[in-house]
Amino acid sequence: MHITFDKFSKLKYLFALLALVIVGISGYFTNGLVKSMAQEENRKMALWAEATRKLAAADEVTDFEFLLKVIADNTTIPCFILDQNDNVIGSRNIDVPSKLTDDKLKAFWKQKQELFADLNERIEINIDKETQQYIYYDNSLVLKHLSYYPFIQWGVIALFFLTVLFFFTLAKRAEQDKVWAGLSKETAHQLGTPISSLMAWVELMKAQEIALDILPEMEKDVSRLQTIADRFSKVGSVPELKPACLNDVLDNTLAYMRRRVSSKVVITSVYQSNTPISLPMCVPLFEWVVENLCKNAVDAMEGRGSIDVNVSMLEKQVCLDFTDTGKGIPKSKFKTVFSPGFTTKQRGWGLGLSLVKRIVEDYHHGSIFVKHSELGKGTTFRILLNLPDND
């Protein structure tokens, strides 16, 4: 059965809700169990303290075997026994360095005192009227691990949820790519027939010397349609990258754009290096990138302003900055502008910049991002393309 991605979106929320319910129930019962174990350990330590007191004040009728068994049964709860002068007179279930002097043992206890005092209230043992001892104890290792369990469970469920979300996203993107490729190929196929027919009509008009004054412009338009069909066919598959001169590609495309935009829009290009730059690229698709960026800039400027293309060299990359004097983009939208469907125009599909990002990053293995934008002053898009390895 086919599951749509609308259902997938609902499933994501369902998984999140289910995870919260599981963690909530588990946390509730774990918290109750931790409290019960803490109370049980408190009772054990109270019994241990009483056994210690009776052993210290033992006489002939004292049941030494029972008292020693009670003391020996504490194999999990770490504790210190101090006298009334804060001298350590004993410890249990604590890794105390051997052969410590009294001063060093007292310093060792001082390091632990704050932790022990914060966790549990000390137990006072009255040996006689003048002698008191105090027991400070920590939680057992089992109790500590159990108290961490809800957080571990949170992490495991969060990891599970992120993994499911990751695979849902991959599946969604794979299906989008499939639809995109299929649509592009079908568009190129559908354009092929009328373009072939138009080419035949142009040749026939040439042969019969009909409308010779407008034939050159018709040929340009037919050639343009061929280029568009070629672009769609390449978007629908993995294009072959061939070495090409970036300077020539930019100059030709910008020259074409100058003829197609208002005279109130000035398009300039600046090359920081006088040496022509050769890069592996798919020329028809990269021309499409430049055209889309220029068209978006013209729309943002509402047909009046300037577009400056600056080409500079980095260590292992070529940097292309497209700067316009348009209305700018809010900083919160820097990444959103590349999402399919995002548009600020009343009429538009919002696919231009999404297509640009796909061509630059997926096909040419580069990157594109909004370098800078200021509302009311303009925007700079930056493209980074990797230079070929000359080794």
Side-chain angles (χ1 to χ4, degrees), residues 346-358:
Q346 292 183 348
R347 295 181 180 180
W349 291 88
L351 295 176
L353 289 177
S354 173
L355 181 63
V356 165
K357 186 177 180 68
R358 182 186 180 94

Side-chain angles (χ1 to χ4, degrees), residues 253-322:
T253 310
L254 295 178
Y256 170 79
M257 291 304 302
R258 289 187 188 99
R259 296 194 299 268
R260 294 297 187 274
V261 299
S262 167
S263 59
K264 297 177 182 178
V265 175
V266 179
I267 302 177
T268 60
S269 58
V270 176
Y271 298 93
Q272 300 296 334
S273 173
N274 295 325
T275 306
I277 304 166
S278 180
L279 292 174
M281 63 173 63
C282 176
V283 173
L285 289 185
F286 197 78
E287 288 176 340
W288 207 355
V289 168
V290 178
E291 288 181 21
N292 269 313
L293 289 175
C294 289
K295 287 177 181 176
N296 273 281
V298 171
D299 290 336
M301 298 184 299
E302 297 180 347
R304 181 191 296 270
S306 64
I307 302 171
D308 300 316
V309 182
N310 189 292
V311 182
S312 57
M313 301 291 291
L314 303 180
E315 185 177 353
K316 294 184 178 180
Q317 291 178 311
V318 181
C319 175
L320 294 87
D321 287 337
F322 290 77

Side-chain angles (χ1 to χ4, degrees), residues 293-294 296-298 300-301 305-308 322-329 373 377-381:
L293 289 175
C294 289
N296 273 281
V298 171
M301 298 184 299
S306 64
I307 302 171
D308 300 316
F322 290 77
T323 303
D324 64 57
T325 56
K327 54 190 175 184
I329 302 170
S373 187
K377 292 188 177 181
T379 301
T380 297
F381 284 92

Side-chain angles (χ1 to χ4, degrees), residues 63-332:
D63 187 350
F64 285 96
E65 184 178 352
F66 174 73
L67 294 178
L68 291 172
K69 185 177 185 305
V70 171
I71 292 173
D73 278 347
N74 177 20
T75 58
T76 59
I77 304 173
C79 61
F80 279 99
I81 305 175
L82 280 76
D83 64 14
Q84 56 206 27
N85 297 318
D86 281 343
N87 296 312
V88 179
I89 59 176
S91 64
R92 193 164 185 85
N93 303 316
I94 295 174
D95 188 14
V96 179
S98 60
K99 299 181 181 179
L100 289 180
T101 63
D102 291 342
D103 290 339
K104 289 185 177 180
L105 184 59
K106 195 170 186 177
F108 179 79
W109 156 245
K110 290 295 183 182
Q111 294 176 359
K112 305 285 186 179
Q113 183 177 6
E114 186 176 345
L115 172 65
F116 277 57
D118 286 345
L119 283 173
N120 299 295
E121 189 174 341
R122 73 178 184 178
I123 299 175
E124 182 177 338
I125 305 174
N126 295 309
I127 305 299
D128 53 42
K129 291 182 179 179
E130 297 180 355
T131 308
Q132 288 85 34
Q133 294 179 357
Y134 303 95
I135 296 178
Y136 293 85
Y137 65 99
D138 192 3
N139 294 330
S140 67
L141 193 61
V142 174
L143 183 58
K144 287 179 180 178
H145 287 174
L146 191 60
S147 63
Y148 298 149
Y149 180 72
F151 300 102
I152 296 172
Q153 196 170 38
W154 266 106
V156 170
I157 291 180
L159 181 62
F160 170 75
F161 179 72
L162 289 173
T163 302
V164 171
L165 183 62
F166 173 72
F167 282 108
F168 275 173
T169 303
L170 281 184
K172 181 177 180 180
R173 182 168 182 178
E175 185 160 320
Q176 285 177 337
D177 287 347
K178 190 176 179 180
V179 171
W180 188 301
L183 180 62
S184 299
K185 287 182 177 180
E186 181 61 22
T187 302
H189 176 71
Q190 293 293 335
L191 286 172
T193 302
I195 289 173
S196 298
S197 178
L198 285 171
M199 290 173 64
W201 281 110
V202 168
E203 292 301 321
L204 180 61
M205 292 173 68
K206 274 186 183 180
Q208 296 184 1
E209 298 184 353
I210 299 173
L212 294 178
D213 54 333
I214 63 172
L215 273 178
E217 292 302 319
M218 291 179 64
E219 285 184 309
K220 287 181 183 178
D221 289 336
V222 172
S223 176
R224 181 66 181 165
L225 286 173
Q226 279 185 299
T227 301
I228 293 171
D230 185 42
R231 287 173 177 174
F232 274 108
S233 67
K234 284 180 169 57
V235 168
S237 58
V238 179
E240 182 182 359
L241 303 184
K242 296 181 180 180
C245 179
L246 177 64
N247 305 53
D248 293 341
V249 174
L250 273 177
D251 289 341
N252 293 336
T253 310
L254 295 178
Y256 170 79
M257 291 304 302
R258 289 187 188 99
R259 296 194 299 268
R260 294 297 187 274
V261 299
S262 167
S263 59
K264 297 177 182 178
V265 175
V266 179
I267 302 177
T268 60
S269 58
V270 176
Y271 298 93
Q272 300 296 334
S273 173
N274 295 325
T275 306
I277 304 166
S278 180
L279 292 174
M281 63 173 63
C282 176
V283 173
L285 289 185
F286 197 78
E287 288 176 340
W288 207 355
V289 168
V290 178
E291 288 181 21
N292 269 313
L293 289 175
C294 289
K295 287 177 181 176
N296 273 281
V298 171
D299 290 336
M301 298 184 299
E302 297 180 347
R304 181 191 296 270
S306 64
I307 302 171
D308 300 316
V309 182
N310 189 292
V311 182
S312 57
M313 301 291 291
L314 303 180
E315 185 177 353
K316 294 184 178 180
Q317 291 178 311
V318 181
C319 175
L320 294 87
D321 287 337
F322 290 77
T323 303
D324 64 57
T325 56
K327 54 190 175 184
I329 302 170
K331 195 168 185 178
S332 60

